[in-house]
């Protein structure tokens, strides 16, 4: 799953290419929107909301108020947006493209998007209205995020952090790394986490620092050294104490199962 910092970066890239520009060509390569044509309309904003990306397209002048569209995408596992100069050769095969948006000079291509839909901007809430406070949003609300996390004290902290209704933007990397940095195992019940407000503050700080880095890095170590303390490091030595990192599946059911990693010495 993507992390909110990746989506933030994708939005910045798309904003630089599309914002304020008139679309000269749109090509939606998903059946439900195959006949939709938004050419002639203007991109009015590009907004990340947690792990969701919203490209708002304004109505043409004669279409009236409130008739704008929002192109909603979610990267899921493999999705990526790439920007090209018009006519430039794509770096990924065309059959992986789900949507193509062109302006007079640039073309944005969404490859392998896990989700792509177009909805009236007026009903955006149906897509992102369920999200908790957005860690990278202008309206970040740490108190509300904390209250949401503590509303189910029995839930393992990693799963609580991943639930986008509690707070929006964290994926599995952050859920594991934040648990390490705060010194508790990822399966610790949320209600037993000491200083949960410091967990929320650290989540905000860590993802904010990383949104502007080309490569996510939680350890602060230089290139060539591990970027993560525990995520994906099963069997490797803990960077702090040398103990072998352990991993296990957490949660039940197809949508609520996650891999977790931890250091049995550093995390209690
Ligand atoms: Zn350790």
């Amino acid at each position: 799953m993507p992390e909110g910092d990746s989506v933030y970066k994708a939005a910045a890239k798309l904003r630089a290419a599309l914002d304020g520009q008139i679309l000269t060509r749109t090509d939606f390569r998903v059946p439900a929107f195959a006949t939709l044509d938004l050419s002639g309309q203007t991109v009015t904003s590009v907004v990340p909301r947690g792990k969701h990306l919203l490209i708002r397209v304004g109505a043409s002048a004669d279409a009236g108020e409130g008739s704008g569209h929002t192109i909603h995408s979610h990267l899921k596992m493999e999705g990526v947006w790439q920007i090209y100069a018009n006519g430039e050769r794509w770096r990924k095969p065309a059959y992986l493209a789900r949507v193509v948006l062109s302006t007079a000079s640039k073309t944005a291509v969404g490859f392998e998007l896990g989700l792509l839909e177009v909805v009236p901007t007026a009903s955006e809430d149906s897509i992102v209205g369920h999200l908790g406070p957005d860690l990278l949003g202008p309206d970040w609300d740490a108190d509300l995020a904390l209250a949401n996390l503590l509303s189910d004290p029995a839930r393992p902290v990693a799963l609580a952090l991943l639930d986008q209704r509690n707070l929006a933007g964290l994926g599995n990397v952050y859920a594991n790394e934040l648990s390490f940095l705060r010194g508790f195992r990822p399966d610790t019940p949320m209600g037993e986490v000491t200083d949960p407000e410091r967990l929320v503050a650290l989540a905000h700080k860590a993802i904010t620092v990383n949104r502007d880095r080309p490569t996510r890095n939680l350890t602060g170590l230089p290139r060539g050294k591990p970027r993560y303390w525990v995520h994906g490091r099963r069997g490797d030595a803990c960077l702090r104490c040398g103990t072998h990192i352990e991993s296990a599946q957490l949660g039940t059911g197809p949508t609520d199962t996650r891999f977790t990693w931890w250091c049995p010495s550093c995390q209690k």
Side-chain angles (χ1 to χ4, degrees), residues 99-117:
V99 57
V100 183
L101 305 173
S102 295
T103 70
S105 60
K106 295 270 177 27
T107 293
V109 188
F111 293 98
E112 296 186 88
L113 302 173
L115 188 157
L116 176 72
E117 62 178 349

Side-chain angles (χ1 to χ4, degrees), residues 28-181:
F28 295 91
R29 301 183 179 180
V30 293
F33 302 100
T35 60
L36 181 66
D37 181 3
L38 297 179
S39 61
Q41 303 205 17
T42 302
V43 176
T44 58
S45 58
V46 181
V47 180
R49 278 277 177 271
K51 301 196 223 170
H52 301 254
L53 219 136
L54 309 174
I55 302 171
R56 299 191 184 119
V57 179
S60 55
D62 56 355
E65 282 282 313
S67 51
H69 289 85
T70 295
I71 303 166
H72 169 221
S73 61
H74 196 296
L75 304 176
K76 295 279 171 75
M77 299 305 283
E78 308 288 340
V80 61
W81 280 92
Q82 294 184 343
I83 311 291
Y84 298 97
N86 285 350
E88 186 184 350
R89 189 183 169 86
W90 294 355
R91 295 184 297 276
K92 280 178 169 285
Y95 72 86
L96 296 176
R98 296 291 172 265
V99 57
V100 183
L101 305 173
S102 295
T103 70
S105 60
K106 295 270 177 27
T107 293
V109 188
F111 293 98
E112 296 186 88
L113 302 173
L115 188 157
L116 176 72
E117 62 178 349
V118 183
V119 300
T121 299
S123 51
E124 259 179 21
D125 249 19
S126 66
I127 310 165
V128 290
H130 68 287
L131 296 177
D134 185 346
L135 281 154
L136 295 177
D139 53 353
W140 164 241
D141 183 341
D143 293 337
L144 179 57
L146 179 62
N148 291 345
L149 286 167
L150 293 174
S151 66
D152 186 354
R155 198 159 189 211
V157 58
L159 297 182
L161 289 171
L162 286 165
D163 189 333
Q164 305 297 300
R165 294 169 297 185
N166 288 338
L167 73 178
L170 300 178
N172 214 21
V173 171
Y174 280 102
N176 282 280
E177 295 291 295
L178 291 169
S179 298
F180 175 86
L181 288 165

Side-chain angles (χ1 to χ4, degrees), residues 180 230 237-243 245 262-267:
F180 175 86
V230 289
C238 172
L239 300 169
R240 227 174 235 171
C241 74
T243 305
I245 302 296
W262 69 92
C263 169
S265 298
C266 293
Q267 293 167 265

